[in-house]
Amino acid sequence: MIVDDQHYDVIIIGTGAGGGTLARKLAPTGKKILLLERGELIYRESSELIDTEVFKKEQYHAPESWHDSSGEPFSPQTYYAVGGNTKIWSGVLQRRRERDFEQVQHQGGLSPAWSLKYQDFEPYYTEAEKLYQVHGKFEDDPTEPSHSEAYPFAEVAHEPLVQQIGGSLAEQGLHPVHLPLGLGDFGRTDAEDTGITPVLNSENVTLKTSAQVVLLHTNPSGSEIKAVEAKIGEQSYLFLGDVVVLACGAVNSAALLLRSANEKHPKGIANGSDQVGRNLMKQLLSVVVQLTSTANSGLFSRTLGLNDFYWGDKDFPYPMGHVQNSGGILQDVIFAEAPPILSALSRLMPNFGLRQLATHSIGWWLKTEDLPHADNRVRYVGDKLRIDYTPNNVEAHDRLVYRWVDALKSVEQSQPNLFNRTTHPRSDMPVQVVAHQCGTCRFGEDPATSVLNLDCRTHEVHNLYVVDSSFFPSHASVSPGLTVIANALRVGDRLIEQLQ
C-alpha cells in the first residue's frame, strides 16, 4: 500500500455529470482537488456514435458482472471514462416540473415530496443550462416550469421527417415540443468537455485515471473519512483529503459505502438508517419503432418531445410520462439493448440489413416515473453486487404506450405517403440498462429515513458528500441529467463557503 505524498482539500470520486460539474465549479477556488476516475480520458471518441458498431459490441458496458434478483450475472450498461455516462447520453437536458418536487399520487402509489422545491433549484438550472450550452424553447410546452432566464441558445431544428410528424401531432390537438439539448462546437456537451477538460491545466487540480476506488477509511470514531483507497493498475494507494465527494452513479456510490463497512459503521458507511442502497429507481423505459416508407440518415439528433400525457388525461387521472424521438437509431447506444426490436423489424422488412432497417424507421422513447420502494435496492451477497429491482407503476407506462401508438396511427393515416406499415414494435429495457438510475442515498431532514442532509452531506460522516443522482427521493418522467448538474452546482456553493 502506497500513501500518496499529497494532501488534498477535496477528493472527488467519479467525473460524470455530478463529479465533472463539481470539479469545474470548485477549481477557481485554488483549493487542491484530486479527481479519481475508474475509466480513462477518451476525449470525444464515444460521444459521436456512428453506425452499426453500437449494436455489435458491448463497449459501453462496465467490465464486471453484477447480479439480478435471482442471482444471475449480467453486464451492466454503465460507462467508465472521464465524463462517465455523459459520454454516451443523448444530451437532452430537461428540468423537473414544479409538481415533480411535490407529493404526487400515481396509479402505482405515492411519489414522495422533496424537502427542497423547484425554486430552490431554479437558479442552478439556469446556471447549468449556460454551462452545458442548452439549446431550447419552452413557450410551446404547457408543462415546462417557470424560467428566470430564457434558454441560452435557440432550439435545434427538427429533421424534415420529424417536423412533418410534429405537424400531424399538432393537428390532433397535441403539443409537440423542442427538446432542450446541450450542444457545443463539437457536438453534444458532456462532463468531460464541459467539466474536466477546462480545469486540467489548473495547478490545483490533479486527475488520476484507471483509478478504481475500493474502500473508504474513517477515523477511529467513524465521524470523518480519513483516506480513500484506490487501485491503479496492480498497485494500491491511499489518498488523504479534508472533504470526500462521491459521484460514482447511484449504484456504485451505494456499493462503495456498503463495502466500506467497519466497526463504527457495521452496515456500511453512513448507513445507520439502513437506507444506503435502498429505493433504487431507474424509470420505466420502452422504445416504440415507427416504420417509414422513405429513408433517413439514421444519425440525426433527438429534437422532438411530447408531454401531453405527463400528468394523465381525461381517461386516466394519473401521470403517465414523457415521449421523445430517439434521434437516429444508428447513434443510439441503448438500442443495443433492444434485440426484440431488431428481430421484429427483420420480420417486417426481411430484405433489409441493419442499416436499412435503421434508416427506414424512427424510434420513440417512452419514459414513466417508477416509484421508490425499499426492496428495490443495491446490496452485496457475499462479494457479489446484487441489483434487486422489480418494476412498479407499470399500468401507467402501458397506458402511455397505448396512447402514443394511437397518436402514431393517426399520423400515419394523415400522411400515407410517408408510412406504409402500421405495426409498431415495442421493447422494454431490461435490468442491465441502468440509465437514469437514482435514489440509493436519498437526501432529507430526518437521519432516520435519509442518508444525506439537504446539502448532500451524509448525516453520520461530516466530511462526506454525494453529488450524483443517488440523492433523489423520487424520480420523474424527464431525464435526471440536468438536475444532477444543477445540484452539483448547488452543493458546490455550499462547499465553497465551507472551504473559504
Side-chain angles (χ1 to χ4, degrees):
M1 183 83 67
I2 296 176
V3 180
D4 186 59
D5 61 2
Q6 301 291 314
H7 186 96
Y8 300 92
D9 296 298
V10 181
I11 299 175
I12 301 173
I13 305 169
T15 58
T21 302
L22 183 64
R24 175 74 180 269
K25 180 84 171 186
L26 297 183
T29 65
K31 299 296 182 180
K32 289 186 65 175
I33 300 168
L34 172 65
L35 307 174
L36 296 174
E37 170 54 54
R38 183 172 176 176
E40 298 178 355
L41 184 62
I42 59 172
Y43 295 96
R44 302 212 58 81
E45 182 261 342
S46 71
S47 284
E48 303 300 334
L49 305 168
I50 295 178
D51 222 321
T52 57
E53 290 302 295
V54 168
F55 300 93
K56 294 178 181 176
K57 298 191 295 188
E58 291 190 337
Q59 68 185 92
Y60 307 110
H61 287 237
E64 75 233 15
S65 289
W66 298 352
H67 296 78
D68 64 19
S69 298
S70 61
E72 292 297 315
F74 65 88
S75 177
Q77 190 194 71
T78 192
Y79 201 47
Y80 299 146
V82 176
N85 281 319
T86 71
K87 298 298 291 181
I88 57 172
W89 70 0
S90 66
V92 177
L93 296 175
Q94 299 164 294
R95 298 185 179 207
R96 291 172 65 95
R97 278 47 193 151
E98 287 154 311
R99 190 175 160 197
D100 281 324
F101 291 88
E102 306 296 339
Q103 178 176 286
V104 177
Q105 180 67 56
H106 288 253
Q107 192 277 335
L110 281 177
S111 178
W114 291 35
S115 296
L116 297 180
K117 303 303 180 184
Y118 175 77
Q119 290 305 323
D120 296 304
F121 284 88
E122 199 285 328
Y124 297 104
Y125 277 138
T126 298
E127 183 179 352
E129 287 163 353
K130 292 177 180 177
L131 185 62
Y132 280 76
Q133 303 179 62
V134 175
H135 296 60
K137 175 183 179 182
F138 64 86
E139 294 91 344
D140 54 358
D141 186 350
T143 73
E144 182 75 13
S146 59
H147 286 227
S148 58
E149 298 182 30
Y151 284 112
F153 298 93
E155 69 276 12
V156 176
H158 301 308
E159 186 88 350
L161 177 59
V162 175
Q163 180 67 45
Q164 288 177 280
I165 294 172
S168 292
L169 292 169
E171 289 173 2
Q172 297 179 44
L174 299 174
H175 301 82
V177 303
H178 288 82
L179 292 170
L181 299 172
L183 293 173
D185 294 336
F186 303 104
R188 295 189 300 268
T189 49
D190 60 42
E192 177 254 304
D193 61 27
T194 304
I196 302 301
T197 300
V199 304
L200 284 183
N201 292 327
S202 303
E203 292 183 358
N204 60 310
V205 177
T206 301
L207 170 66
K208 293 187 180 294
T209 58
S210 300
Q212 181 179 359
V213 174
V214 293
L215 287 173
L216 303 176
H217 297 278
T218 67
N219 60 3
S221 69
S223 62
E224 292 185 356
I225 302 297
K226 296 305 293 182
V228 174
E229 181 179 342
K231 189 174 183 181
I232 304 177
E234 298 302 314
Q235 183 64 58
S236 294
Y237 293 82
L238 281 181
F239 299 100
L240 309 181
D242 295 330
V243 173
V244 175
V245 182
L246 303 190
C248 315
V251 171
N252 277 318
S253 285
L256 177 57
L257 292 173
L258 291 171
R259 68 173 178 261
S260 298
N262 59 28
E263 181 180 355
K264 294 297 182 181
H265 299 274
K267 293 188 290 185
I269 287 182
N271 196 26
S273 63
D274 193 32
Q275 294 298 305
V276 171
R278 294 190 182 273
N279 303 299
L280 173 66
M281 297 166 281
K282 66 183 196 74
Q283 285 181 337
L284 304 179
L285 286 168
S286 293
V287 60
V288 171
V289 172
Q290 184 179 29
L291 301 172
T292 68
S293 56
T294 56
N296 63 72
S297 69
L299 298 172
F300 51 90
S301 297
R302 301 188 192 197
T303 57
L304 188 146
L306 188 133
N307 293 313
D308 290 78
F309 309 121
Y310 199 93
W311 299 118
D313 64 15
K314 62 183 179 61
D315 298 318
F316 189 72
Y318 302 106
M320 284 185 273
H322 170 75
V323 179
Q324 62 184 238
N325 74 298
S326 71
I329 289 178
L330 288 175
Q331 271 185 297
D332 201 318
V333 173
I334 301 182
F335 266 89
E337 305 299 339
I341 283 289
L342 303 182
S343 299
L345 290 176
S346 297
R347 289 194 299 272
L348 292 166
M349 305 168 74
N351 297 321
F352 281 56
L354 179 58
R355 171 173 280 278
Q356 288 72 33
L357 291 173
T359 56
H360 282 75
S361 56
I362 298 253
W364 297 97
W365 281 108
L366 285 75
K367 301 189 289 184
T368 299
E369 179 176 349
D370 59 341
L371 306 174
H373 193 288
D375 292 335
N376 281 346
R377 64 186 299 198
V378 177
R379 62 189 177 109
Y380 276 97
V381 178
D383 61 352
K384 295 179 178 178
L385 183 61
R386 183 156 162 170
I387 310 300
D388 295 332
Y389 182 80
T390 301
N392 58 52
N393 207 25
V394 173
E395 181 180 343
H397 187 64
D398 288 341
R399 285 179 178 267
L400 177 64
V401 175
Y402 300 149
R403 296 287 196 278
W404 184 241
V405 169
D406 285 344
L408 292 182
K409 288 179 178 177
S410 295
V411 169
E412 290 153 6
Q413 290 169 3
S414 69
Q415 302 198 53
N417 60 314
L418 298 179
F419 305 96
N420 55 16
R421 295 174 177 85
T422 57
T423 306
H424 301 90
R426 167 188 174 179
S427 185
D428 301 329
M429 294 303 102
V431 67
Q432 59 260 36
V433 177
V434 290
H436 304 175
Q437 57 182 275
C438 67
T440 56
C441 299
R442 57 166 57 176
F443 81 163
E445 297 172 282
D446 183 358
T449 59
S450 59
V451 178
L452 311 173
N453 69 12
L454 299 187
D455 291 336
C456 288
R457 190 193 73 193
T458 62
H459 290 296
E460 300 171 29
V461 181
H462 302 313
N463 65 337
L464 178 61
Y465 291 76
V466 182
V467 298
D468 53 41
S469 58
S470 302
F471 84 97
F472 283 36
S474 69
H475 218 320
S477 294
V478 294
S479 302
L482 189 71
T483 301
V484 174
I485 294 166
N487 185 63
L489 296 170
R490 183 183 71 89
V491 174
D493 276 347
R494 304 291 86 74
L495 285 171
I496 290 169
E497 294 170 1
Q498 177 183 331
L499 292 168
Q500 291 176 343

